[in-house]
Amino acid sequence: MKLVIIKYNAGNIQSVSFALERLGVDFTITDQAEAIQQADKVIFPGVGEASTTMRYLHDKKLDAVIRSLRQPVLGICLGMQLLCKHSEENDTPCLGIFDETVKRFEPQPDKKVPHMGWNNLTLTANSWLDPALENKFAYFVHSYYVPVNAHTSSLTEYTVPFSAAMHRDNFYAVQFHPEKSAEAGVLVLQSFLNV
């Protein structure tokens, strides 16, 4: 299996790489369109700011490459948000795979933003995730979220219920960081490798 991690200005490429190495998975990190398109599976990581990242993807023509992919693609954290149509973060048009708007958490007296920490997962009936992940805890670091929608595969709650994972066609996505989620993260990566 040829697995590719899309190389761009994402802050978590190294930790995703380490997680895959621990699983014994071979992969390539590249920003070359042809290599990405010829991969069997693609990981679209992400830690950063939406508008800067979308500008970078557009300048490198990676936005068009990602939209054109027909093999399984996994968006992680900001990668998941950028697969949506729009983000409230600096009013950013995104890739439009999921017809959703990414919203900012409203701080509350007992809930700070960004949301940082471990939350449990509730899987939906049609989830692509391993059933063993039901009620397991995953690690989140984010200020923006995707509301629960028809493509939600797993949800959790922080000030409001939101999508912890999504799926549409060949696109899979998680808001949390599987590479920092210990045993649950291993199950998530294996779920994707097995789709």
Side-chain angles (χ1 to χ4, degrees):
M1 177 180 67
K2 281 199 294 190
L3 177 68
V4 159
I5 299 174
I6 297 177
K7 179 184 175 184
Y8 71 106
N9 62 341
N12 66 331
I13 287 179
Q14 209 60 53
S15 51
V16 171
S17 302
F18 291 147
L20 291 169
E21 285 168 3
R22 286 194 298 272
L23 287 174
V25 177
D26 289 329
F27 59 90
T28 305
I29 301 170
T30 184
D31 61 359
Q32 299 301 306
E34 195 174 330
I36 295 168
Q37 288 163 334
Q38 289 176 355
D40 298 312
K41 297 206 167 142
V42 175
I43 293 181
F44 179 39
V47 170
E49 186 273 324
S51 64
T52 309
T53 303
M54 279 306 300
R55 197 158 45 247
Y56 182 94
L57 293 174
H58 182 71
D59 290 347
K60 298 276 187 181
K61 299 186 170 49
L62 290 171
D63 54 345
V65 170
I66 293 166
R67 286 189 191 101
S68 75
L69 297 176
R70 296 292 170 259
Q71 65 272 63
V73 178
L74 175 64
I76 297 175
C77 194
L78 180 63
M80 168 165 146
Q81 295 176 10
L82 296 180
L83 291 174
C84 295
K85 72 174 178 187
H86 187 269
S87 175
E88 288 184 351
E89 187 172 23
N90 292 320
D91 192 21
T92 305
C94 298
L95 294 165
I97 304 298
F98 297 99
D99 190 25
E100 302 299 326
T101 296
V102 180
K103 299 185 173 299
R104 190 175 199 285
F105 284 120
E106 293 294 334
Q108 295 181 5
D110 60 335
K111 307 271 189 189
K112 292 180 181 170
V113 177
H115 166 220
M116 296 175 67
W118 295 82
N119 277 54
N120 65 323
L121 305 174
T122 301
L123 307 189
T124 59
N126 61 346
S127 184
W128 58 277
L129 294 166
D130 187 314
L133 282 160
E134 178 66 31
N135 218 30
K136 290 284 190 294
F137 282 78
Y139 187 72
F140 292 79
V141 183
H142 59 129
S143 299
Y144 294 82
Y145 69 94
V146 182
V148 176
N149 62 80
H151 301 293
T152 299
S153 303
S154 171
L155 55 128
T156 191
E157 189 164 339
Y158 188 78
T159 75
V160 292
F162 66 90
S163 297
M166 297 198 297
H167 170 221
R168 182 186 179 195
D169 302 328
N170 58 307
F171 288 90
Y172 302 80
V174 291
Q175 178 60 65
F176 53 89
H177 288 276
E179 74 277 16
K180 295 179 180 175
S181 294
E183 207 176 299
V186 170
L187 281 174
V188 169
L189 291 171
Q190 288 174 335
S191 296
F192 175 67
L193 295 172
N194 292 333
V195 293

mmCIF file of all heavy atoms in Angstrom, residues 71-111:
data_model
loop_
_atom_site.group_PDB
_atom_site.id
_atom_site.type_symbol
_atom_site.label_atom_id
_atom_site.label_comp_id
_atom_site.label_asym_id
_atom_site.label_seq_id
_atom_site.Cartn_x
_atom_site.Cartn_y
_atom_site.Cartn_z
ATOM 1 N N GLN A 71 -9.189 8.265 -3.902
ATOM 2 C CA GLN A 71 -8.808 7.238 -2.944
ATOM 3 C C GLN A 71 -9.141 7.726 -1.536
ATOM 4 O O GLN A 71 -9.461 8.901 -1.347
ATOM 5 C CB GLN A 71 -7.315 6.914 -3.078
ATOM 6 C CG GLN A 71 -6.371 8.054 -2.731
ATOM 7 C CD GLN A 71 -6.059 8.958 -3.887
ATOM 8 O OE1 GLN A 71 -6.963 9.596 -4.406
ATOM 9 N NE2 GLN A 71 -4.792 9.024 -4.286
ATOM 10 N N PRO A 72 -9.101 6.861 -0.525
ATOM 11 C CA PRO A 72 -9.401 7.313 0.837
ATOM 12 C C PRO A 72 -8.433 8.399 1.314
ATOM 13 O O PRO A 72 -7.221 8.277 1.157
ATOM 14 C CB PRO A 72 -9.249 6.034 1.670
ATOM 15 C CG PRO A 72 -9.494 4.915 0.706
ATOM 16 C CD PRO A 72 -8.911 5.394 -0.591
ATOM 17 N N VAL A 73 -9.010 9.465 1.884
ATOM 18 C CA VAL A 73 -8.258 10.612 2.393
ATOM 19 C C VAL A 73 -8.668 10.819 3.852
ATOM 20 O O VAL A 73 -9.861 10.817 4.150
ATOM 21 C CB VAL A 73 -8.574 11.899 1.589
ATOM 22 C CG1 VAL A 73 -7.815 13.096 2.165
ATOM 23 C CG2 VAL A 73 -8.272 11.711 0.109
ATOM 24 N N LEU A 74 -7.687 11.000 4.739
ATOM 25 C CA LEU A 74 -7.976 11.270 6.152
ATOM 26 C C LEU A 74 -7.519 12.680 6.504
ATOM 27 O O LEU A 74 -6.319 12.975 6.478
ATOM 28 C CB LEU A 74 -7.259 10.260 7.055
ATOM 29 C CG LEU A 74 -7.397 10.506 8.566
ATOM 30 C CD1 LEU A 74 -8.846 10.382 9.026
ATOM 31 C CD2 LEU A 74 -6.498 9.555 9.355
ATOM 32 N N GLY A 75 -8.455 13.560 6.846
ATOM 33 C CA GLY A 75 -8.146 14.894 7.346
ATOM 34 C C GLY A 75 -8.052 14.871 8.857
ATOM 35 O O GLY A 75 -8.909 14.270 9.518
ATOM 36 N N ILE A 76 -7.007 15.488 9.407
ATOM 37 C CA ILE A 76 -6.796 15.509 10.860
ATOM 38 C C ILE A 76 -6.794 16.947 11.357
ATOM 39 O O ILE A 76 -6.063 17.787 10.831
ATOM 40 C CB ILE A 76 -5.460 14.826 11.241
ATOM 41 C CG1 ILE A 76 -5.482 13.347 10.850
ATOM 42 C CG2 ILE A 76 -5.178 14.977 12.734
ATOM 43 C CD1 ILE A 76 -4.155 12.627 11.073
ATOM 44 N N CYS A 77 -7.618 17.241 12.382
ATOM 45 C CA CYS A 77 -7.686 18.540 13.056
ATOM 46 C C CYS A 77 -7.966 19.656 12.044
ATOM 47 O O CYS A 77 -9.044 19.695 11.459
ATOM 48 C CB CYS A 77 -6.437 18.788 13.897
ATOM 49 S SG CYS A 77 -6.627 20.171 15.049
ATOM 50 N N LEU A 78 -7.023 20.576 11.821
ATOM 51 C CA LEU A 78 -7.254 21.623 10.817
ATOM 52 C C LEU A 78 -7.544 20.998 9.448
ATOM 53 O O LEU A 78 -8.324 21.539 8.671
ATOM 54 C CB LEU A 78 -6.055 22.567 10.737
ATOM 55 C CG LEU A 78 -6.161 23.702 9.719
ATOM 56 C CD1 LEU A 78 -7.310 24.659 10.062
ATOM 57 C CD2 LEU A 78 -4.851 24.475 9.612
ATOM 58 N N GLY A 79 -6.929 19.836 9.169
ATOM 59 C CA GLY A 79 -7.212 19.135 7.913
ATOM 60 C C GLY A 79 -8.693 18.828 7.764
ATOM 61 O O GLY A 79 -9.258 18.965 6.677
ATOM 62 N N MET A 80 -9.354 18.412 8.848
ATOM 63 C CA MET A 80 -10.798 18.173 8.821
ATOM 64 C C MET A 80 -11.546 19.475 8.559
ATOM 65 O O MET A 80 -12.469 19.522 7.737
ATOM 66 C CB MET A 80 -11.265 17.554 10.139
ATOM 67 C CG MET A 80 -12.778 17.531 10.312
ATOM 68 S SD MET A 80 -13.303 16.441 11.649
ATOM 69 C CE MET A 80 -14.729 17.313 12.270
ATOM 70 N N GLN A 81 -11.166 20.542 9.249
ATOM 71 C CA GLN A 81 -11.872 21.821 9.089
ATOM 72 C C GLN A 81 -11.732 22.361 7.666
ATOM 73 O O GLN A 81 -12.687 22.888 7.097
ATOM 74 C CB GLN A 81 -11.347 22.833 10.110
ATOM 75 C CG GLN A 81 -11.650 22.431 11.550
ATOM 76 C CD GLN A 81 -11.056 23.377 12.574
ATOM 77 O OE1 GLN A 81 -10.560 24.442 12.229
ATOM 78 N NE2 GLN A 81 -11.112 22.992 13.838
ATOM 79 N N LEU A 82 -10.546 22.191 7.075
ATOM 80 C CA LEU A 82 -10.331 22.700 5.717
ATOM 81 C C LEU A 82 -11.094 21.891 4.671
ATOM 82 O O LEU A 82 -11.299 22.369 3.560
ATOM 83 C CB LEU A 82 -8.830 22.706 5.390
ATOM 84 C CG LEU A 82 -7.974 23.639 6.247
ATOM 85 C CD1 LEU A 82 -6.516 23.560 5.826
ATOM 86 C CD2 LEU A 82 -8.462 25.082 6.185
ATOM 87 N N LEU A 83 -11.525 20.687 5.013
ATOM 88 C CA LEU A 83 -12.361 19.901 4.093
ATOM 89 C C LEU A 83 -13.791 20.439 4.038
ATOM 90 O O LEU A 83 -14.567 20.048 3.175
ATOM 91 C CB LEU A 83 -12.371 18.423 4.502
ATOM 92 C CG LEU A 83 -11.051 17.659 4.301
ATOM 93 C CD1 LEU A 83 -11.162 16.254 4.893
ATOM 94 C CD2 LEU A 83 -10.656 17.598 2.827
ATOM 95 N N CYS A 84 -14.137 21.344 4.948
ATOM 96 C CA CYS A 84 -15.469 21.950 4.960
ATOM 97 C C CYS A 84 -15.535 23.100 3.950
ATOM 98 O O CYS A 84 -14.545 23.418 3.290
ATOM 99 C CB CYS A 84 -15.818 22.418 6.368
ATOM 100 S SG CYS A 84 -15.970 21.032 7.534
ATOM 101 N N LYS A 85 -16.717 23.721 3.817
ATOM 102 C CA LYS A 85 -16.844 24.757 2.773
ATOM 103 C C LYS A 85 -16.360 26.127 3.246
ATOM 104 O O LYS A 85 -15.937 26.947 2.435
ATOM 105 C CB LYS A 85 -18.282 24.845 2.261
ATOM 106 C CG LYS A 85 -19.261 25.470 3.238
ATOM 107 C CD LYS A 85 -20.638 25.666 2.623
ATOM 108 C CE LYS A 85 -21.587 26.243 3.659
ATOM 109 N NZ LYS A 85 -22.970 26.317 3.214
ATOM 110 N N HIS A 86 -16.388 26.374 4.568
ATOM 111 C CA HIS A 86 -16.048 27.714 5.047
ATOM 112 C C HIS A 86 -15.668 27.633 6.515
ATOM 113 O O HIS A 86 -16.206 26.813 7.262
ATOM 114 C CB HIS A 86 -17.259 28.645 4.880
ATOM 115 C CG HIS A 86 -16.953 30.075 5.181
ATOM 116 N ND1 HIS A 86 -17.106 30.612 6.432
ATOM 117 C CD2 HIS A 86 -16.456 31.069 4.405
ATOM 118 C CE1 HIS A 86 -16.748 31.888 6.414
ATOM 119 N NE2 HIS A 86 -16.340 32.190 5.191
ATOM 120 N N SER A 87 -14.741 28.498 6.928
ATOM 121 C CA SER A 87 -14.371 28.593 8.342
ATOM 122 C C SER A 87 -14.559 30.016 8.840
ATOM 123 O O SER A 87 -14.205 30.974 8.136
ATOM 124 C CB SER A 87 -12.911 28.172 8.549
ATOM 125 O OG SER A 87 -12.537 28.372 9.906
ATOM 126 N N GLU A 88 -15.103 30.138 10.044
ATOM 127 C CA GLU A 88 -15.209 31.457 10.674
ATOM 128 C C GLU A 88 -13.835 32.025 11.027
ATOM 129 O O GLU A 88 -13.715 33.220 11.267
ATOM 130 C CB GLU A 88 -16.062 31.360 11.953
ATOM 131 C CG GLU A 88 -17.529 31.151 11.672
ATOM 132 C CD GLU A 88 -18.390 31.164 12.939
ATOM 133 O OE1 GLU A 88 -17.831 31.172 14.061
ATOM 134 O OE2 GLU A 88 -19.625 31.163 12.800
ATOM 135 N N GLU A 89 -12.806 31.194 11.019
ATOM 136 C CA GLU A 89 -11.462 31.679 11.316
ATOM 137 C C GLU A 89 -10.989 32.557 10.152
ATOM 138 O O GLU A 89 -10.696 32.073 9.060
ATOM 139 C CB GLU A 89 -10.490 30.506 11.531
ATOM 140 C CG GLU A 89 -9.129 30.974 12.002
ATOM 141 C CD GLU A 89 -8.218 29.828 12.401
ATOM 142 O OE1 GLU A 89 -8.417 28.697 11.937
ATOM 143 O OE2 GLU A 89 -7.292 30.073 13.193
ATOM 144 N N ASN A 90 -10.980 33.848 10.390
ATOM 145 C CA ASN A 90 -10.622 34.838 9.358
ATOM 146 C C ASN A 90 -11.466 34.716 8.094
ATOM 147 O O ASN A 90 -10.982 34.985 6.994
ATOM 148 C CB ASN A 90 -9.121 34.763 9.034
ATOM 149 C CG ASN A 90 -8.289 35.242 10.202
ATOM 150 O OD1 ASN A 90 -8.635 36.218 10.858
ATOM 151 N ND2 ASN A 90 -7.207 34.545 10.492
ATOM 152 N N ASP A 91 -12.743 34.281 8.272
ATOM 153 C CA ASP A 91 -13.714 34.271 7.174
ATOM 154 C C ASP A 91 -13.125 33.590 5.927
ATOM 155 O O ASP A 91 -13.022 34.183 4.860
ATOM 156 C CB ASP A 91 -14.135 35.713 6.859
ATOM 157 C CG ASP A 91 -15.340 35.781 5.932
ATOM 158 O OD1 ASP A 91 -16.081 34.785 5.850
ATOM 159 O OD2 ASP A 91 -15.517 36.824 5.278
ATOM 160 N N THR A 92 -12.765 32.330 6.086
ATOM 161 C CA THR A 92 -11.967 31.624 5.078
ATOM 162 C C THR A 92 -12.790 30.637 4.254
ATOM 163 O O THR A 92 -13.342 29.686 4.808
ATOM 164 C CB THR A 92 -10.823 30.849 5.778
ATOM 165 O OG1 THR A 92 -10.070 31.764 6.579
ATOM 166 C CG2 THR A 92 -9.922 30.176 4.772
ATOM 167 N N PRO A 93 -12.853 30.803 2.929
ATOM 168 C CA PRO A 93 -13.418 29.757 2.070
ATOM 169 C C PRO A 93 -12.466 28.555 2.080
ATOM 170 O O PRO A 93 -11.253 28.721 1.964
ATOM 171 C CB PRO A 93 -13.458 30.393 0.675
ATOM 172 C CG PRO A 93 -13.250 31.857 0.895
ATOM 173 C CD PRO A 93 -12.443 31.984 2.154
ATOM 174 N N CYS A 94 -13.042 27.361 2.222
ATOM 175 C CA CYS A 94 -12.211 26.156 2.326
ATOM 176 C C CYS A 94 -12.458 25.238 1.123
ATOM 177 O O CYS A 94 -12.866 25.704 0.073
ATOM 178 C CB CYS A 94 -12.476 25.473 3.661
ATOM 179 S SG CYS A 94 -12.032 26.517 5.094
ATOM 180 N N LEU A 95 -12.220 23.926 1.282
ATOM 181 C CA LEU A 95 -12.201 23.014 0.136
ATOM 182 C C LEU A 95 -13.589 22.553 -0.320
ATOM 183 O O LEU A 95 -13.750 22.119 -1.451
ATOM 184 C CB LEU A 95 -11.325 21.794 0.461
ATOM 185 C CG LEU A 95 -9.830 22.129 0.639
ATOM 186 C CD1 LEU A 95 -9.100 20.963 1.304
ATOM 187 C CD2 LEU A 95 -9.193 22.481 -0.691
ATOM 188 N N GLY A 96 -14.575 22.595 0.573
ATOM 189 C CA GLY A 96 -15.948 22.304 0.157
ATOM 190 C C GLY A 96 -16.310 20.845 -0.020
ATOM 191 O O GLY A 96 -17.322 20.529 -0.648
ATOM 192 N N ILE A 97 -15.523 19.925 0.533
ATOM 193 C CA ILE A 97 -15.881 18.499 0.465
ATOM 194 C C ILE A 97 -17.112 18.239 1.339
ATOM 195 O O ILE A 97 -18.042 17.555 0.935
ATOM 196 C CB ILE A 97 -14.705 17.610 0.940
ATOM 197 C CG1 ILE A 97 -13.429 17.887 0.147
ATOM 198 C CG2 ILE A 97 -15.095 16.138 0.899
ATOM 199 C CD1 ILE A 97 -13.480 17.622 -1.323
ATOM 200 N N PHE A 98 -17.090 18.788 2.548
ATOM 201 C CA PHE A 98 -18.244 18.741 3.447
ATOM 202 C C PHE A 98 -18.934 20.098 3.383
ATOM 203 O O PHE A 98 -18.280 21.135 3.512
ATOM 204 C CB PHE A 98 -17.807 18.457 4.890
ATOM 205 C CG PHE A 98 -17.158 17.119 5.083
ATOM 206 C CD1 PHE A 98 -15.771 17.006 5.138
ATOM 207 C CD2 PHE A 98 -17.921 15.968 5.218
ATOM 208 C CE1 PHE A 98 -15.155 15.781 5.322
ATOM 209 C CE2 PHE A 98 -17.319 14.730 5.401
ATOM 210 C CZ PHE A 98 -15.931 14.629 5.450
ATOM 211 N N ASP A 99 -20.233 20.104 3.203
ATOM 212 C CA ASP A 99 -20.989 21.357 3.038
ATOM 213 C C ASP A 99 -21.321 21.950 4.407
ATOM 214 O O ASP A 99 -22.489 22.104 4.767
ATOM 215 C CB ASP A 99 -22.261 21.074 2.235
ATOM 216 C CG ASP A 99 -22.968 22.370 1.827
ATOM 217 O OD1 ASP A 99 -22.288 23.409 1.730
ATOM 218 O OD2 ASP A 99 -24.191 22.327 1.615
ATOM 219 N N GLU A 100 -20.268 22.256 5.167
ATOM 220 C CA GLU A 100 -20.438 22.715 6.545
ATOM 221 C C GLU A 100 -19.599 23.957 6.801
ATOM 222 O O GLU A 100 -18.564 24.153 6.167
ATOM 223 C CB GLU A 100 -20.025 21.624 7.542
ATOM 224 C CG GLU A 100 -20.781 20.314 7.408
ATOM 225 C CD GLU A 100 -22.272 20.443 7.634
ATOM 226 O OE1 GLU A 100 -22.674 21.276 8.479
ATOM 227 O OE2 GLU A 100 -23.035 19.707 6.978
ATOM 228 N N THR A 101 -20.047 24.779 7.765
ATOM 229 C CA THR A 101 -19.276 25.943 8.204
ATOM 230 C C THR A 101 -18.622 25.635 9.543
ATOM 231 O O THR A 101 -19.281 25.180 10.483
ATOM 232 C CB THR A 101 -20.196 27.173 8.344
ATOM 233 O OG1 THR A 101 -20.708 27.496 7.050
ATOM 234 C CG2 THR A 101 -19.435 28.363 8.890
ATOM 235 N N VAL A 102 -17.318 25.870 9.607
ATOM 236 C CA VAL A 102 -16.554 25.663 10.834
ATOM 237 C C VAL A 102 -16.756 26.883 11.731
ATOM 238 O O VAL A 102 -16.572 28.017 11.305
ATOM 239 C CB VAL A 102 -15.051 25.489 10.498
ATOM 240 C CG1 VAL A 102 -14.249 25.263 11.771
ATOM 241 C CG2 VAL A 102 -14.855 24.347 9.513
ATOM 242 N N LYS A 103 -17.163 26.638 12.979
ATOM 243 C CA LYS A 103 -17.527 27.726 13.890
ATOM 244 C C LYS A 103 -16.531 27.829 15.044
ATOM 245 O O LYS A 103 -15.873 26.858 15.403
ATOM 246 C CB LYS A 103 -18.926 27.483 14.448
ATOM 247 C CG LYS A 103 -19.987 27.449 13.352
ATOM 248 C CD LYS A 103 -21.377 27.326 13.943
ATOM 249 C CE LYS A 103 -22.455 27.458 12.889
ATOM 250 N NZ LYS A 103 -22.446 28.739 12.205
ATOM 251 N N ARG A 104 -16.474 29.018 15.646
ATOM 252 C CA ARG A 104 -15.593 29.221 16.793
ATOM 253 C C ARG A 104 -16.351 28.928 18.082
ATOM 254 O O ARG A 104 -17.511 29.304 18.233
ATOM 255 C CB ARG A 104 -15.083 30.672 16.835
ATOM 256 C CG ARG A 104 -13.978 30.869 17.863
ATOM 257 C CD ARG A 104 -13.378 32.273 17.825
ATOM 258 N NE ARG A 104 -12.074 32.317 18.478
ATOM 259 C CZ ARG A 104 -11.885 32.295 19.798
ATOM 260 N NH1 ARG A 104 -12.911 32.246 20.618
ATOM 261 N NH2 ARG A 104 -10.657 32.319 20.305
ATOM 262 N N PHE A 105 -15.706 28.233 19.007
ATOM 263 C CA PHE A 105 -16.301 28.022 20.321
ATOM 264 C C PHE A 105 -16.518 29.364 21.002
ATOM 265 O O PHE A 105 -15.671 30.256 20.940
ATOM 266 C CB PHE A 105 -15.369 27.196 21.222
ATOM 267 C CG PHE A 105 -15.331 25.739 20.923
ATOM 268 C CD1 PHE A 105 -14.140 25.138 20.553
ATOM 269 C CD2 PHE A 105 -16.466 24.947 21.025
ATOM 270 C CE1 PHE A 105 -14.076 23.783 20.300
ATOM 271 C CE2 PHE A 105 -16.424 23.582 20.770
ATOM 272 C CZ PHE A 105 -15.218 23.000 20.401
ATOM 273 N N GLU A 106 -17.662 29.509 21.649
ATOM 274 C CA GLU A 106 -17.916 30.688 22.490
ATOM 275 C C GLU A 106 -17.409 30.376 23.891
ATOM 276 O O GLU A 106 -17.858 29.417 24.518
ATOM 277 C CB GLU A 106 -19.427 30.981 22.544
ATOM 278 C CG GLU A 106 -20.023 31.433 21.225
ATOM 279 C CD GLU A 106 -19.490 32.780 20.767
ATOM 280 O OE1 GLU A 106 -19.071 33.590 21.626
ATOM 281 O OE2 GLU A 106 -19.459 33.009 19.544
ATOM 282 N N PRO A 107 -16.452 31.148 24.392
ATOM 283 C CA PRO A 107 -15.944 30.871 25.743
ATOM 284 C C PRO A 107 -17.071 30.967 26.777
ATOM 285 O O PRO A 107 -17.995 31.764 26.620
ATOM 286 C CB PRO A 107 -14.911 31.978 25.976
ATOM 287 C CG PRO A 107 -14.619 32.571 24.641
ATOM 288 C CD PRO A 107 -15.830 32.339 23.796
ATOM 289 N N GLN A 108 -16.984 30.162 27.799
ATOM 290 C CA GLN A 108 -17.930 30.199 28.906
ATOM 291 C C GLN A 108 -17.115 30.271 30.197
ATOM 292 O O GLN A 108 -15.929 29.941 30.191
ATOM 293 C CB GLN A 108 -18.828 28.956 28.865
ATOM 294 C CG GLN A 108 -19.715 28.921 27.628
ATOM 295 C CD GLN A 108 -20.606 27.706 27.598
ATOM 296 O OE1 GLN A 108 -20.658 26.911 28.520
ATOM 297 N NE2 GLN A 108 -21.332 27.554 26.493
ATOM 298 N N PRO A 109 -17.748 30.701 31.292
ATOM 299 C CA PRO A 109 -16.984 30.874 32.540
ATOM 300 C C PRO A 109 -16.157 29.645 32.909
ATOM 301 O O PRO A 109 -15.028 29.765 33.386
ATOM 302 C CB PRO A 109 -18.069 31.147 33.585
ATOM 303 C CG PRO A 109 -19.198 31.733 32.804
ATOM 304 C CD PRO A 109 -19.165 31.082 31.445
ATOM 305 N N ASP A 110 -16.705 28.450 32.687
ATOM 306 C CA ASP A 110 -15.987 27.227 33.076
ATOM 307 C C ASP A 110 -15.359 26.508 31.879
ATOM 308 O O ASP A 110 -14.835 25.414 32.009
ATOM 309 C CB ASP A 110 -16.940 26.277 33.805
ATOM 310 C CG ASP A 110 -18.125 25.881 32.936
ATOM 311 O OD1 ASP A 110 -18.479 26.647 32.007
ATOM 312 O OD2 ASP A 110 -18.681 24.787 33.161
ATOM 313 N N LYS A 111 -15.429 27.131 30.681
ATOM 314 C CA LYS A 111 -14.896 26.492 29.466
ATOM 315 C C LYS A 111 -14.039 27.487 28.700
ATOM 316 O O LYS A 111 -14.562 28.420 28.082
ATOM 317 C CB LYS A 111 -16.034 26.019 28.556
ATOM 318 C CG LYS A 111 -17.065 25.134 29.227
ATOM 319 C CD LYS A 111 -16.678 23.684 29.134
ATOM 320 C CE LYS A 111 -17.839 22.807 29.610
ATOM 321 N NZ LYS A 111 -17.462 21.423 29.752
#
